[in-house]
Amino acid sequence: MRRLFGSVRARAALAATVVVAVALLAAGAAVLLSLRSNLVERAGTEAERVARSVAAELAGGRAYGDLDLDDDTPVQVVDKDGTLVAASEGLERISGTGTDAVTPRPAPSPSPSRTDGDDDGDDDDDRDDGASLEPGEIDSETDFTEGSATVDGHTEDYRFAAVEVDAGDRGRFTVTAGGSLDAEQSAVDTATTAMLVGFPLLIGVVAGVTWLVTRRALRPVEDIRREMAEITASEDLTRRVPEPDTHDEVARLARTTNETLAALESSVERQRRFVADASHELRSPIASLRTQLEVAAAHPELLDLGGAVEDTVRLQHLAADLLLLARLDAGERPADGRVDLAELAIEESAGRAGVSVVADGPVEVAGSRGQLARVLANLLDNAARHARSAVVVTTRREGGSAVLQVSDDGDGVPVADRERIFERFVRLDEARSRDDGGAGLGLAIARDVAQRHGGGLTVGDGPAGGALFELRLPAV
């Protein structure tokens, strides 16, 4: 069962089918109830019309045998004692009324010795049994019941209407007439049969249409899945999934997937370049150190100890830079702490020739003191390599930001290269000399650390004509 409904298409078709089936059942039940109610009400109205017609004849003084009783409609006329005094000629059996008698017995005639006063007393007694009616008056209220009757050998269900009438000297009578429910039963049965036949067909059509529509709607998703599977198998990140020419969720999914593939391709390419550049940067000092050691092993008197130490230090710095970049790429969060940039600038500038610090009071930020010290050290090393004579470090607070600037009096950075210098292993032509040190990682590390601390690092023109590096972080 789980495998059968394991697809979105199957679940959508099932859900639509269930919803439509429940809606159809509810609507069908409401229609049947409304149809039956209307037809029963119509039968009651017809029965009431016949009953009041007979009651009007009684009120007018017509004799029992002269009453206009429809042979096709069951009618009973009962006096106040419950005696049947008139009935339809073809009535053979009846149930659901006040009496099941079908053979009328004429009521006794009023006593001629009765005085008007006695008659009034009898009328008062009669009126005490029910609603107060004047002679010749028909009760405005009608009582409805349901039952069955056999007329001329044909048995049907009826809705009976009972009406009371005061026939003057003859007393009070109850006229009961029936309205056939055969049309109601026939209509309800026909509607039920139509629903039993039509509803399954309609539900089947809904299920099929939902299946086809969902299949068509999900076809682009299947194309995206198939293309992603092929990209995964081929490891070719230059490929992209097809984007449908629509503006729906599937098109947005395809665009987001292609953006993810583009970002992944860029990340992989950047990682490949990083590995290649790191290998290149490591190869040179290692080869130099190995050559020096091999020469020293063959000719100890030719050992360049200073050069070997210098290459070893360069390898140590490069390994430390690569390790820090790896931690930053892994999403390492800076340690929680408070760092005074003015104090940090004074500490890092101590012992560096030609470096001056201009601090406008304490400027505190939240983050890792070690990483921020690394940023400042990298900026000072970069400025020292390019400055002619002086490097100035400035710290201040601007609104909610802490600003640290490092400027020099060198040649500056061309506008076209002001973003490129923050890429890894990028060194401008004048900075490619190995004697200057550095592998093109210092500024990349500085910007990554700044961004991890919620800030940024930019470069512009300094007041002395050189470069001005500005570190801007959220102040505490």
Side-chain angles (χ1 to χ4, degrees), residues 401-468:
S401 298
V403 180
L404 183 147
Q405 294 178 331
V406 178
S407 61
D408 60 67
D409 58 354
D411 296 330
V413 181
V415 176
D417 296 325
R418 288 182 180 177
E419 281 299 315
R420 198 167 69 87
I421 60 174
F422 292 107
E423 297 177 7
R424 298 175 182 182
F425 296 105
V426 170
R427 290 176 294 173
L428 303 185
D429 292 339
E430 62 270 19
R432 289 187 178 276
S433 172
R434 185 162 301 282
D435 293 337
D436 291 337
L441 293 177
L443 294 179
I445 291 174
R447 172 168 277 189
D448 282 353
V449 171
Q451 292 175 346
R452 291 295 190 280
H453 283 74
L457 179 63
T458 58
V459 61
D461 296 324
L468 173 65

Short mmCIF file of all heavy atoms in Angstrom, two decimals, residues 401-468:
data_model
loop_
_atom_site.label_atom_id
_atom_site.label_comp_id
_atom_site.label_asym_id
_atom_site.label_seq_id
_atom_site.Cartn_x
_atom_site.Cartn_y
_atom_site.Cartn_z
N SER A 401 29.23 51.86 14.46
CA SER A 401 30.32 51.09 13.85
C SER A 401 31.65 51.50 14.46
O SER A 401 31.88 52.67 14.82
CB SER A 401 30.36 51.32 12.34
OG SER A 401 29.17 50.88 11.74
N ALA A 402 32.53 50.49 14.54
CA ALA A 402 33.92 50.74 14.93
C ALA A 402 34.77 50.70 13.66
O ALA A 402 34.66 49.76 12.87
CB ALA A 402 34.39 49.68 15.92
N VAL A 403 35.60 51.71 13.46
CA VAL A 403 36.37 51.85 12.22
C VAL A 403 37.85 51.81 12.55
O VAL A 403 38.33 52.53 13.45
CB VAL A 403 36.01 53.16 11.50
CG1 VAL A 403 36.84 53.29 10.22
CG2 VAL A 403 34.52 53.21 11.19
N LEU A 404 38.58 50.95 11.82
CA LEU A 404 40.04 50.90 11.91
C LEU A 404 40.59 51.07 10.50
O LEU A 404 40.21 50.32 9.59
CB LEU A 404 40.50 49.57 12.51
CG LEU A 404 42.01 49.41 12.74
CD1 LEU A 404 42.28 48.55 13.97
CD2 LEU A 404 42.71 48.78 11.53
N GLN A 405 41.48 52.07 10.31
CA GLN A 405 42.06 52.36 9.00
C GLN A 405 43.58 52.21 9.05
O GLN A 405 44.22 52.63 10.02
CB GLN A 405 41.69 53.77 8.56
CG GLN A 405 40.20 53.98 8.31
CD GLN A 405 39.87 55.40 7.91
OE1 GLN A 405 40.57 56.34 8.31
NE2 GLN A 405 38.81 55.57 7.14
N VAL A 406 44.10 51.61 7.99
CA VAL A 406 45.55 51.48 7.82
C VAL A 406 45.91 52.10 6.48
O VAL A 406 45.45 51.62 5.43
CB VAL A 406 46.01 50.01 7.87
CG1 VAL A 406 47.50 49.91 7.63
CG2 VAL A 406 45.62 49.36 9.20
N SER A 407 46.68 53.18 6.49
CA SER A 407 47.06 53.88 5.26
C SER A 407 48.57 53.95 5.14
O SER A 407 49.30 53.90 6.15
CB SER A 407 46.47 55.30 5.25
OG SER A 407 46.97 56.05 6.34
N ASP A 408 49.07 54.05 3.91
CA ASP A 408 50.50 54.16 3.65
C ASP A 408 50.73 55.25 2.62
O ASP A 408 49.78 55.80 2.05
CB ASP A 408 51.07 52.81 3.19
CG ASP A 408 50.41 52.32 1.91
OD1 ASP A 408 50.61 52.95 0.85
OD2 ASP A 408 49.69 51.29 1.95
N ASP A 409 52.00 55.54 2.38
CA ASP A 409 52.35 56.58 1.40
C ASP A 409 52.97 55.97 0.16
O ASP A 409 53.84 56.59 -0.48
CB ASP A 409 53.30 57.61 2.03
CG ASP A 409 54.58 56.95 2.57
OD1 ASP A 409 54.66 55.70 2.54
OD2 ASP A 409 55.48 57.68 3.01
N GLY A 410 52.53 54.76 -0.19
CA GLY A 410 53.05 54.10 -1.37
C GLY A 410 52.33 54.53 -2.63
O GLY A 410 51.79 55.65 -2.72
N ASP A 411 52.29 53.62 -3.62
CA ASP A 411 51.68 53.94 -4.90
C ASP A 411 50.17 53.69 -4.93
O ASP A 411 49.50 54.04 -5.91
CB ASP A 411 52.34 53.11 -6.02
CG ASP A 411 53.81 53.48 -6.19
OD1 ASP A 411 54.15 54.65 -5.91
OD2 ASP A 411 54.60 52.60 -6.58
N GLY A 412 49.62 53.05 -3.90
CA GLY A 412 48.19 52.78 -3.87
C GLY A 412 47.82 51.54 -4.69
O GLY A 412 48.67 50.86 -5.25
N VAL A 413 46.51 51.28 -4.75
CA VAL A 413 45.99 50.12 -5.48
C VAL A 413 45.13 50.63 -6.63
O VAL A 413 44.22 51.43 -6.41
CB VAL A 413 45.14 49.22 -4.56
CG1 VAL A 413 44.62 48.00 -5.33
CG2 VAL A 413 45.96 48.76 -3.36
N PRO A 414 45.39 50.19 -7.86
CA PRO A 414 44.56 50.62 -8.99
C PRO A 414 43.08 50.26 -8.75
O PRO A 414 42.77 49.23 -8.13
CB PRO A 414 45.13 49.84 -10.18
CG PRO A 414 46.53 49.50 -9.77
CD PRO A 414 46.50 49.31 -8.28
N VAL A 415 42.21 51.10 -9.24
CA VAL A 415 40.78 50.88 -9.03
C VAL A 415 40.34 49.52 -9.57
O VAL A 415 39.51 48.83 -8.96
CB VAL A 415 39.97 52.01 -9.70
CG1 VAL A 415 38.47 51.75 -9.57
CG2 VAL A 415 40.33 53.36 -9.09
N ALA A 416 40.88 49.10 -10.69
CA ALA A 416 40.48 47.83 -11.30
C ALA A 416 40.86 46.63 -10.46
O ALA A 416 40.28 45.54 -10.61
CB ALA A 416 41.09 47.71 -12.70
N ASP A 417 41.84 46.78 -9.56
CA ASP A 417 42.33 45.65 -8.77
C ASP A 417 41.86 45.69 -7.33
O ASP A 417 42.28 44.85 -6.52
CB ASP A 417 43.87 45.63 -8.79
CG ASP A 417 44.42 45.38 -10.19
OD1 ASP A 417 43.78 44.62 -10.93
OD2 ASP A 417 45.47 45.97 -10.52
N ARG A 418 40.99 46.64 -6.98
CA ARG A 418 40.64 46.81 -5.57
C ARG A 418 39.75 45.70 -5.01
O ARG A 418 39.64 45.56 -3.80
CB ARG A 418 39.96 48.18 -5.37
CG ARG A 418 40.96 49.31 -5.50
CD ARG A 418 40.34 50.67 -5.28
NE ARG A 418 41.35 51.72 -5.42
CZ ARG A 418 41.10 53.02 -5.33
NH1 ARG A 418 39.86 53.44 -5.12
NH2 ARG A 418 42.08 53.90 -5.47
N GLU A 419 39.14 44.94 -5.85
CA GLU A 419 38.43 43.76 -5.37
C GLU A 419 39.23 42.50 -5.59
O GLU A 419 39.15 41.55 -4.80
CB GLU A 419 37.06 43.64 -6.07
CG GLU A 419 35.99 44.56 -5.51
CD GLU A 419 35.68 44.30 -4.04
OE1 GLU A 419 35.54 43.11 -3.67
OE2 GLU A 419 35.58 45.26 -3.26
N ARG A 420 40.03 42.48 -6.62
CA ARG A 420 40.79 41.28 -6.95
C ARG A 420 41.85 40.96 -5.91
O ARG A 420 42.18 39.79 -5.70
CB ARG A 420 41.44 41.45 -8.33
CG ARG A 420 41.88 40.14 -8.96
CD ARG A 420 42.21 40.36 -10.42
NE ARG A 420 43.41 41.15 -10.61
CZ ARG A 420 44.63 40.64 -10.64
NH1 ARG A 420 44.81 39.33 -10.50
NH2 ARG A 420 45.68 41.40 -10.83
N ILE A 421 42.38 42.00 -5.22
CA ILE A 421 43.45 41.74 -4.26
C ILE A 421 42.95 40.97 -3.04
O ILE A 421 43.77 40.42 -2.29
CB ILE A 421 44.11 43.07 -3.79
CG1 ILE A 421 43.05 43.95 -3.12
CG2 ILE A 421 44.77 43.78 -4.94
CD1 ILE A 421 43.66 45.22 -2.51
N PHE A 422 41.61 40.90 -2.86
CA PHE A 422 41.09 40.14 -1.73
C PHE A 422 40.83 38.69 -2.09
O PHE A 422 40.35 37.92 -1.24
CB PHE A 422 39.78 40.79 -1.24
CG PHE A 422 39.98 42.14 -0.60
CD1 PHE A 422 39.59 43.30 -1.26
CD2 PHE A 422 40.57 42.26 0.65
CE1 PHE A 422 39.76 44.53 -0.68
CE2 PHE A 422 40.74 43.49 1.24
CZ PHE A 422 40.35 44.64 0.57
N GLU A 423 41.12 38.29 -3.33
CA GLU A 423 41.01 36.89 -3.69
C GLU A 423 42.24 36.14 -3.23
O GLU A 423 43.32 36.70 -3.07
CB GLU A 423 40.85 36.75 -5.21
CG GLU A 423 39.58 37.40 -5.76
CD GLU A 423 39.49 37.30 -7.26
OE1 GLU A 423 40.36 36.61 -7.86
OE2 GLU A 423 38.56 37.89 -7.84
N ARG A 424 42.09 34.85 -3.03
CA ARG A 424 43.17 34.03 -2.49
C ARG A 424 44.26 33.81 -3.54
O ARG A 424 43.97 33.56 -4.69
CB ARG A 424 42.62 32.69 -2.00
CG ARG A 424 41.60 32.85 -0.88
CD ARG A 424 40.99 31.53 -0.47
NE ARG A 424 39.97 31.73 0.58
CZ ARG A 424 39.28 30.77 1.16
NH1 ARG A 424 39.47 29.52 0.78
NH2 ARG A 424 38.40 31.05 2.10
N PHE A 425 45.49 33.90 -3.07
CA PHE A 425 46.70 33.69 -3.88
C PHE A 425 46.82 34.70 -5.02
O PHE A 425 47.44 34.43 -6.04
CB PHE A 425 46.74 32.27 -4.46
CG PHE A 425 46.85 31.21 -3.41
CD1 PHE A 425 45.75 30.43 -3.09
CD2 PHE A 425 48.04 30.99 -2.73
CE1 PHE A 425 45.83 29.45 -2.13
CE2 PHE A 425 48.12 30.01 -1.75
CZ PHE A 425 47.02 29.22 -1.45
N VAL A 426 46.21 35.87 -4.87
CA VAL A 426 46.33 36.93 -5.87
C VAL A 426 47.35 37.94 -5.37
O VAL A 426 47.23 38.49 -4.28
CB VAL A 426 44.97 37.62 -6.11
CG1 VAL A 426 45.16 38.86 -6.97
CG2 VAL A 426 44.01 36.66 -6.79
N ARG A 427 48.37 38.16 -6.21
CA ARG A 427 49.38 39.17 -5.93
C ARG A 427 49.56 40.01 -7.18
O ARG A 427 49.69 39.47 -8.28
CB ARG A 427 50.71 38.53 -5.53
CG ARG A 427 50.70 37.85 -4.17
CD ARG A 427 52.01 37.16 -3.89
NE ARG A 427 52.21 36.03 -4.81
CZ ARG A 427 53.33 35.33 -4.88
NH1 ARG A 427 54.35 35.66 -4.12
NH2 ARG A 427 53.44 34.34 -5.72
N LEU A 428 49.55 41.33 -6.99
CA LEU A 428 49.79 42.20 -8.14
C LEU A 428 51.23 42.07 -8.58
O LEU A 428 52.09 41.56 -7.87
CB LEU A 428 49.45 43.64 -7.77
CG LEU A 428 48.01 43.87 -7.27
CD1 LEU A 428 47.76 45.36 -7.05
CD2 LEU A 428 47.00 43.31 -8.26
N ASP A 429 51.51 42.56 -9.79
CA ASP A 429 52.83 42.36 -10.39
C ASP A 429 53.95 42.87 -9.51
O ASP A 429 54.99 42.23 -9.36
CB ASP A 429 52.89 43.06 -11.75
CG ASP A 429 51.98 42.38 -12.77
OD1 ASP A 429 51.65 41.20 -12.54
OD2 ASP A 429 51.61 43.02 -13.74
N GLU A 430 53.75 44.04 -8.88
CA GLU A 430 54.83 44.59 -8.06
C GLU A 430 54.98 43.87 -6.74
O GLU A 430 55.92 44.12 -5.99
CB GLU A 430 54.59 46.08 -7.80
CG GLU A 430 53.32 46.39 -7.02
CD GLU A 430 52.15 46.59 -7.94
OE1 GLU A 430 52.21 46.15 -9.11
OE2 GLU A 430 51.16 47.18 -7.49
N ALA A 431 54.02 42.95 -6.42
CA ALA A 431 54.10 42.23 -5.15
C ALA A 431 54.48 40.77 -5.34
O ALA A 431 54.38 39.98 -4.43
CB ALA A 431 52.75 42.31 -4.42
N ARG A 432 54.93 40.40 -6.54
CA ARG A 432 55.20 39.00 -6.81
C ARG A 432 56.61 38.57 -6.43
O ARG A 432 56.92 37.39 -6.48
CB ARG A 432 54.99 38.70 -8.30
CG ARG A 432 53.51 38.73 -8.68
CD ARG A 432 53.30 38.28 -10.10
NE ARG A 432 51.89 38.25 -10.45
CZ ARG A 432 51.07 37.26 -10.18
NH1 ARG A 432 51.53 36.19 -9.57
NH2 ARG A 432 49.81 37.32 -10.52
N SER A 433 57.41 39.47 -6.06
CA SER A 433 58.76 39.10 -5.68
C SER A 433 58.74 38.27 -4.41
O SER A 433 58.13 38.64 -3.42
CB SER A 433 59.60 40.37 -5.44
OG SER A 433 60.86 40.02 -4.92
N ARG A 434 59.39 37.11 -4.42
CA ARG A 434 59.41 36.26 -3.26
C ARG A 434 60.16 36.90 -2.11
O ARG A 434 59.89 36.60 -0.95
CB ARG A 434 60.05 34.91 -3.63
CG ARG A 434 60.01 33.91 -2.49
CD ARG A 434 60.23 32.52 -2.99
NE ARG A 434 59.24 32.14 -3.97
CZ ARG A 434 58.01 31.76 -3.65
NH1 ARG A 434 57.63 31.74 -2.40
NH2 ARG A 434 57.17 31.42 -4.58
N ASP A 435 61.05 37.82 -2.40
CA ASP A 435 61.77 38.47 -1.32
C ASP A 435 60.84 39.31 -0.47
O ASP A 435 61.12 39.59 0.70
CB ASP A 435 62.89 39.36 -1.89
CG ASP A 435 63.98 38.53 -2.56
OD1 ASP A 435 64.08 37.33 -2.20
OD2 ASP A 435 64.69 39.07 -3.42
N ASP A 436 59.72 39.78 -1.07
CA ASP A 436 58.77 40.57 -0.30
C ASP A 436 57.98 39.72 0.67
O ASP A 436 57.28 40.24 1.54
CB ASP A 436 57.81 41.30 -1.25
CG ASP A 436 58.53 42.39 -2.03
OD1 ASP A 436 59.58 42.87 -1.56
OD2 ASP A 436 58.03 42.73 -3.10
N GLY A 437 58.01 38.39 0.51
CA GLY A 437 57.24 37.50 1.38
C GLY A 437 55.78 37.52 0.99
O GLY A 437 55.32 38.30 0.18
N GLY A 438 55.01 36.63 1.62
CA GLY A 438 53.58 36.57 1.36
C GLY A 438 53.25 35.68 0.19
O GLY A 438 54.01 35.58 -0.77
N ALA A 439 52.07 35.06 0.30
CA ALA A 439 51.63 34.16 -0.76
C ALA A 439 50.29 34.61 -1.35
O ALA A 439 49.66 33.86 -2.07
CB ALA A 439 51.49 32.74 -0.21
N GLY A 440 49.90 35.84 -1.04
CA GLY A 440 48.62 36.33 -1.54
C GLY A 440 47.44 35.87 -0.73
O GLY A 440 46.31 35.85 -1.24
N LEU A 441 47.66 35.53 0.54
CA LEU A 441 46.57 35.07 1.40
C LEU A 441 46.21 36.07 2.49
O LEU A 441 45.13 35.97 3.09
CB LEU A 441 46.93 33.73 2.06
CG LEU A 441 47.06 32.53 1.11
CD1 LEU A 441 47.50 31.30 1.90
CD2 LEU A 441 45.74 32.26 0.41
N GLY A 442 47.09 37.01 2.77
CA GLY A 442 46.87 37.91 3.91
C GLY A 442 45.59 38.71 3.81
O GLY A 442 44.80 38.77 4.75
N LEU A 443 45.38 39.38 2.66
CA LEU A 443 44.19 40.21 2.51
C LEU A 443 42.92 39.35 2.41
O LEU A 443 41.86 39.76 2.89
CB LEU A 443 44.31 41.10 1.28
CG LEU A 443 45.42 42.16 1.35
CD1 LEU A 443 45.47 42.97 0.05
CD2 LEU A 443 45.22 43.08 2.54
N ALA A 444 43.02 38.17 1.79
CA ALA A 444 41.87 37.27 1.73
C ALA A 444 41.45 36.83 3.13
O ALA A 444 40.26 36.80 3.46
CB ALA A 444 42.19 36.06 0.85
N ILE A 445 42.45 36.51 3.95
CA ILE A 445 42.14 36.12 5.33
C ILE A 445 41.52 37.29 6.09
O ILE A 445 40.55 37.14 6.84
CB ILE A 445 43.42 35.62 6.03
CG1 ILE A 445 43.86 34.27 5.43
CG2 ILE A 445 43.20 35.49 7.53
CD1 ILE A 445 45.18 33.77 5.96
N ALA A 446 42.08 38.49 5.89
CA ALA A 446 41.57 39.67 6.60
C ALA A 446 40.10 39.93 6.26
O ALA A 446 39.28 40.20 7.16
CB ALA A 446 42.42 40.89 6.26
N ARG A 447 39.74 39.84 4.99
CA ARG A 447 38.33 40.09 4.64
C ARG A 447 37.42 38.98 5.17
O ARG A 447 36.32 39.27 5.65
CB ARG A 447 38.18 40.21 3.13
CG ARG A 447 36.74 40.26 2.67
CD ARG A 447 36.57 40.65 1.25
NE ARG A 447 36.60 42.10 1.07
CZ ARG A 447 36.30 42.72 -0.09
NH1 ARG A 447 35.96 41.99 -1.14
NH2 ARG A 447 36.34 44.02 -0.17
N ASP A 448 37.86 37.70 5.08
CA ASP A 448 37.03 36.61 5.59
C ASP A 448 36.78 36.77 7.08
O ASP A 448 35.65 36.58 7.56
CB ASP A 448 37.71 35.27 5.33
CG ASP A 448 37.56 34.82 3.88
OD1 ASP A 448 36.82 35.49 3.15
OD2 ASP A 448 38.19 33.82 3.49
N VAL A 449 37.80 37.14 7.84
CA VAL A 449 37.63 37.33 9.28
C VAL A 449 36.68 38.50 9.55
O VAL A 449 35.81 38.44 10.43
CB VAL A 449 38.99 37.56 9.96
CG1 VAL A 449 38.80 37.96 11.41
CG2 VAL A 449 39.84 36.30 9.87
N ALA A 450 36.84 39.59 8.78
CA ALA A 450 35.96 40.75 8.96
C ALA A 450 34.51 40.37 8.71
O ALA A 450 33.60 40.77 9.46
CB ALA A 450 36.39 41.88 8.04
N GLN A 451 34.25 39.60 7.66
CA GLN A 451 32.88 39.19 7.36
C GLN A 451 32.33 38.23 8.42
O GLN A 451 31.14 38.29 8.76
CB GLN A 451 32.83 38.55 5.98
CG GLN A 451 33.09 39.54 4.85
CD GLN A 451 33.17 38.87 3.49
OE1 GLN A 451 33.27 37.64 3.39
NE2 GLN A 451 33.13 39.67 2.43
N ARG A 452 33.18 37.35 8.96
CA ARG A 452 32.73 36.46 10.03
C ARG A 452 32.35 37.24 11.28
O ARG A 452 31.56 36.78 12.10
CB ARG A 452 33.82 35.45 10.38
CG ARG A 452 34.12 34.41 9.32
CD ARG A 452 32.93 33.48 9.10
NE ARG A 452 33.26 32.35 8.26
CZ ARG A 452 33.33 32.37 6.95
NH1 ARG A 452 33.07 33.50 6.31
NH2 ARG A 452 33.62 31.29 6.26
N HIS A 453 32.91 38.44 11.46
CA HIS A 453 32.60 39.29 12.62
C HIS A 453 31.47 40.27 12.31
O HIS A 453 31.22 41.20 13.09
CB HIS A 453 33.85 40.06 13.06
CG HIS A 453 34.82 39.23 13.84
ND1 HIS A 453 35.62 38.28 13.26
CD2 HIS A 453 35.11 39.20 15.18
CE1 HIS A 453 36.38 37.70 14.18
NE2 HIS A 453 36.09 38.24 15.36
N GLY A 454 30.78 40.09 11.18
CA GLY A 454 29.65 40.93 10.86
C GLY A 454 30.01 42.27 10.26
O GLY A 454 29.19 43.18 10.24
N GLY A 455 31.24 42.40 9.76
CA GLY A 455 31.67 43.67 9.18
C GLY A 455 32.18 43.51 7.77
O GLY A 455 31.77 42.61 7.04
N GLY A 456 33.10 44.37 7.37
CA GLY A 456 33.66 44.31 6.03
C GLY A 456 35.00 45.01 5.97
O GLY A 456 35.39 45.76 6.87
N LEU A 457 35.72 44.75 4.88
CA LEU A 457 37.04 45.34 4.66
C LEU A 457 37.10 45.84 3.23
O LEU A 457 36.84 45.09 2.29
CB LEU A 457 38.14 44.29 4.90
CG LEU A 457 39.58 44.74 4.68
CD1 LEU A 457 39.96 45.86 5.65
CD2 LEU A 457 40.55 43.56 4.82
N THR A 458 37.44 47.12 3.06
CA THR A 458 37.52 47.74 1.74
C THR A 458 38.83 48.48 1.61
O THR A 458 39.54 48.73 2.60
CB THR A 458 36.35 48.72 1.52
OG1 THR A 458 36.38 49.72 2.55
CG2 THR A 458 35.01 47.99 1.55
N VAL A 459 39.17 48.87 0.36
CA VAL A 459 40.39 49.62 0.10
C VAL A 459 40.05 50.83 -0.76
O VAL A 459 39.16 50.76 -1.62
CB VAL A 459 41.44 48.73 -0.61
CG1 VAL A 459 40.93 48.22 -1.94
CG2 VAL A 459 42.76 49.47 -0.77
N GLY A 460 40.73 51.92 -0.47
CA GLY A 460 40.52 53.16 -1.23
C GLY A 460 41.81 53.95 -1.30
O GLY A 460 42.91 53.40 -1.14
N ASP A 461 41.69 55.25 -1.55
CA ASP A 461 42.85 56.13 -1.64
C ASP A 461 43.15 56.73 -0.28
O ASP A 461 42.27 57.24 0.41
CB ASP A 461 42.60 57.25 -2.66
CG ASP A 461 42.42 56.69 -4.07
OD1 ASP A 461 43.12 55.70 -4.40
OD2 ASP A 461 41.59 57.23 -4.83
N GLY A 462 44.43 56.67 0.13
CA GLY A 462 44.84 57.22 1.41
C GLY A 462 45.18 58.71 1.31
O GLY A 462 45.38 59.25 0.22
N PRO A 463 45.22 59.39 2.45
CA PRO A 463 45.53 60.83 2.44
C PRO A 463 46.93 61.13 1.94
O PRO A 463 47.19 62.23 1.44
CB PRO A 463 45.36 61.23 3.91
CG PRO A 463 45.49 59.95 4.68
CD PRO A 463 44.97 58.87 3.79
N ALA A 464 47.87 60.18 2.04
CA ALA A 464 49.26 60.41 1.60
C ALA A 464 49.48 59.91 0.19
O ALA A 464 50.63 59.85 -0.28
CB ALA A 464 50.24 59.72 2.56
N GLY A 465 48.42 59.53 -0.50
CA GLY A 465 48.54 59.07 -1.88
C GLY A 465 48.62 57.57 -2.04
O GLY A 465 48.55 57.07 -3.16
N GLY A 466 48.81 56.86 -0.93
CA GLY A 466 48.90 55.41 -1.02
C GLY A 466 47.54 54.75 -0.85
O GLY A 466 46.50 55.33 -1.14
N ALA A 467 47.55 53.51 -0.36
CA ALA A 467 46.32 52.75 -0.16
C ALA A 467 45.77 53.01 1.24
O ALA A 467 46.53 53.21 2.20
CB ALA A 467 46.57 51.26 -0.36
N LEU A 468 44.46 52.98 1.35
CA LEU A 468 43.79 53.13 2.63
C LEU A 468 42.86 51.93 2.82
O LEU A 468 41.85 51.80 2.11
CB LEU A 468 42.98 54.42 2.68
CG LEU A 468 42.09 54.59 3.92
CD1 LEU A 468 42.94 54.72 5.18
CD2 LEU A 468 41.18 55.81 3.76
#
